Every structure is written in C-alpha cells, then in structure tokens.
Amino acid sequence: MRITVEHLSYRYGEKDKNLTVPALCDVSLEINEGDFFGIIGKTGSGKSTFVQHINGLIKVQKDSGKVTVADFDLTDKKCDYKALRSRIGMVFQYPEYQLFAETVKEDVGFGLKNFRPDIKEDEAERLVKEAVELCGLNYDAIKDVSPFDLSGGQKRRVAIAGVIVSKPEVLVLDEPAAGLDPKGKEEFLQLLVKFHKTFAKTIIIVSHDMDLIAEYCNRAAVFKGGRITAVGTPKEIFSDYENVIDCGLQLPVTAAVVKTLKEKGVNIDCDFTVNSFVAAVKRFKDGGNL
Ligand code: ADP
C-alpha cells in the first residue's frame, strides 16, 4: 500500500486559531510499499501527529491537504476506516500499558474479533497462536495467564501480537524500542525484520534513536517544527550534518566517527550501517581506499 501525503497541515484546538500553533505545516511525503521508513525529529516536531493521520486516528482538517493510502482517500467522508485499520497496525509507545483482558488469548484475539466479527472460534485461536509465537512466546504456556502477570518484555510482545494478529500490510510504530535495554532492543528489531519479510510489507518507525534509523531504515524523513526538512536514505540524511544538528538530533555513532575523520582529512564512504562502516575500515587496514 503506497502512502501519499500532500500538503498536509494540522492544528490542535482548531477553533481557536489565535491560541494554537500548527502541529504540521504543508507536509508532503510518499512512503512506498516495501519501505522500512524512519520518521525522526525532536519532541514536539509533529511526528506523532503525522503518523496518526495515516490510519485516520487524526482526521485531515478541512482544506488542510490530502492523505491517500492505497485506494483509501482519507479526506473522503465515506472512507471506510474499519477496512483501512484492519490493514494498518499501530503500535504506540509502551504498548504494554494498553493490555486489558483477563488472559493473553483474549487480549490478543480482541483486535481480530473487532475486524472480523464473523470469524470462527478455532480459526481465531489458530491466528492468535500464530501471532503469539511469531512474537517469540510459547502460546500454550501463556494463553490462559493474565497478561499482567508476565514480565515486562513478555507484556510488550503480547501487546504487539494483538496488533499483528490481523497481519497488517503496514505497521506503524511510535518509539517502539523505548525503555528496552540494548539486548531487548536488538531482539525487538529482529522481530520487526521478521514481520517485514513476511506480512508487513511496509514498516514506519518513529524514533529518536538515530543508530536504529541508520541500521534498519532504507529511507527516512526529518521533522522540525511541523515541517519536513529532509527525506532520503540514512546515508543522504546523516551526511547533511548541519541539518541533523539544526533539527536538534544527534548523529548515529557511525556518522559521528565518519564526520570526525573527515575533519582530519580522512574520507570514509559507507552507508552508516555498522557493517558497511566496519567493511570500510577493513579496506583501509588492508591498504586500500576507505
Ligand atoms: P512529536 O511526536 O514529534 O513529539 P507531536 O505530533 O506530538 O510531536 O506534537 C506536535 C505539536 O503539537 C507540539 O507542539 C505539541 O505540543 C502539539 N500537540 C500534540 N498533541 C497535542 C494535543 N493533544 N493538544 C494540543 N497540542 C498538541
């Protein structure tokens, strides 16, 4: 599903224009099917407001642009949001806070029954089991357990299972690695890579973590004050050091080292993933060019 956003603006508390600052200003962006797309920017730059437009959680305001997701025109009053939301999964920060049901089975199955009310019980359980196991948990061991009795990491996985149970083609995650330790973060991102290879053709990730963006995303957009200041590959974005710093962001570690070396007259060509950085250093050690 291709996502096209054209000249989108948004103002909270729309009625009182004198008192409010716009959260989004004339934002245009295309996200292609297949992208692992990063949305970056400091707090308050408009990232959450932007991504919530993609599944209609925030409606496009009158005369304030256009959002199209595949054939869904979100400016059309007749847009079928239920059908749209069954194809776009949203994972918010600390998704485990949204767990509510008495058992894991019930919690994960909730969204599925909402989107497919006619689904048969055994088919629903098959899909719930599949989702829980895709998230790296043993279904039979935890299906009847209260989600509140699980560990923090397990809770987050159960919450994600509840989103991916309908196999959304687009998965949007707002700061998904917040609060995880480095090992938990790496495991979690490997889970996203698995989803991307199987059902979630497009992944959109909102993050402050520039190392994560450099490592996993093929493209990203930088937000500042409700506007987009750059769109491109991580290599393109993080090579423009001045824009990144002007937007209040840090460089990924790889890009920071490349920048320091460049200032000392050593030019490294890499795409800022750790592997490409290490390969460039090895070329140097072997007497070749960086
Ligand atoms: P980010 O996700 O980058 O932190 P947001 O989209 O949450 O940015 O916020 C963009 C702007 O909109 C900020 O100025 C923020 O204070 C404002 N804002 C966000 N949510 C609300 C809200 N519910 N009511 C009023 N203003 C809001």
Side-chain angles (χ1 to χ4, degrees):
M1 302 214 288
R2 188 193 189 85
I3 298 163
T4 308
V5 175
E6 294 162 90
H7 304 292
L8 181 66
S9 295
Y10 188 81
R11 209 176 255 279
Y12 287 95
E14 190 195 12
K15 289 189 190 107
D16 211 346
K17 284 201 166 137
N18 294 329
L19 292 178
T20 57
V21 284
L24 292 175
C25 281
D26 196 20
V27 167
S28 295
L29 183 65
E30 290 216 353
I31 299 178
N32 301 317
E33 186 166 297
D35 275 345
F36 202 123
F37 199 96
I39 303 282
I40 57 185
K42 67 175 199 178
T43 304
S45 59
K47 306 180 301 293
S48 293
T49 307
F50 176 80
V51 293
Q52 288 181 71
H53 274 88
I54 295 175
N55 80 340
L57 267 180
I58 294 182
K59 300 268 163 49
V60 180
Q61 291 174 332
K62 195 165 176 281
D63 301 326
S64 300
K66 193 171 162 84
V67 178
T68 322
V69 180
D71 296 333
F72 296 93
D73 174 356
L74 278 73
T75 33
D76 183 347
K77 285 209 169 62
K78 292 190 204 114
C79 177
D80 183 350
Y81 286 106
K82 195 168 176 183
L84 174 75
R85 288 180 190 138
S86 73
R87 295 170 67 185
I88 302 184
M90 281 264 175
V91 178
F92 294 101
Q93 268 188 56
Y94 297 99
E96 56 276 21
Y97 293 165
Q98 285 163 35
L99 296 169
F100 69 97
E102 282 180 17
T103 65
V104 166
K105 177 179 159 186
E106 205 186 316
D107 211 305
V108 176
F110 178 79
L112 190 63
K113 285 182 190 141
N114 188 27
F115 291 130
R116 294 174 57 186
D118 302 331
I119 192 167
K120 299 226 164 61
E121 197 52 46
D122 53 351
E123 170 67 352
E125 177 149 17
R126 190 184 67 74
L127 293 171
V128 167
K129 180 173 183 197
E130 195 182 0
V132 169
E133 290 183 345
L134 256 173
C135 290
L137 297 168
N138 180 338
Y139 179 70
D140 292 324
I142 62 163
K143 66 179 173 148
D144 298 318
V145 170
S146 161
F148 301 101
D149 290 338
L150 300 173
S151 73
Q154 287 174 323
K155 277 187 194 148
R156 188 167 294 192
R157 284 168 190 261
V158 168
I160 306 253
V163 175
I164 62 138
V165 68
S166 53
K167 302 252 171 66
E169 287 160 65
V170 178
L171 193 55
V172 183
L173 305 109
D174 196 344
E175 296 284 0
L180 296 177
D181 63 21
K183 185 165 171 277
K185 181 178 131 183
E186 175 61 26
E187 282 172 7
F188 181 70
L189 282 151
Q190 287 309 324
L191 208 57
L192 294 188
V193 169
K194 188 162 78 176
F195 298 160
H196 194 222
K197 281 190 186 140
T198 47
F199 57 88
K201 296 188 185 112
T202 310
I203 294 207
I204 301 170
I205 196 159
V206 175
S207 185
H208 278 93
D209 184 334
M210 298 303 122
D211 295 299
L212 180 165
I213 299 290
E215 199 60 43
Y216 290 93
C217 295
N218 66 317
R219 292 206 308 138
V222 186
F223 280 69
K224 184 191 175 193
R227 295 178 188 273
I228 291 183
T229 64
V231 182
T233 62
K235 183 175 182 178
E236 288 162 344
I237 285 177
F238 297 124
S239 295
D240 187 355
Y241 312 126
E242 282 174 7
N243 181 53
V244 175
I245 289 159
D246 182 53
C247 291
L249 302 171
Q250 287 187 329
L251 290 171
V253 171
T254 47
V257 175
V258 168
K259 175 176 179 282
T260 306
L261 288 171
K262 190 174 179 186
E263 284 159 4
K264 296 187 185 305
V266 179
N267 285 313
I268 286 195
D269 185 27
C270 74
D271 64 12
F272 302 139
T273 60
V274 170
N275 277 345
S276 83
F277 178 80
V278 170
V281 172
K282 274 196 182 133
R283 285 198 296 277
F284 179 69
K285 254 184 79 188
D286 295 342
N289 294 319
L290 281 168

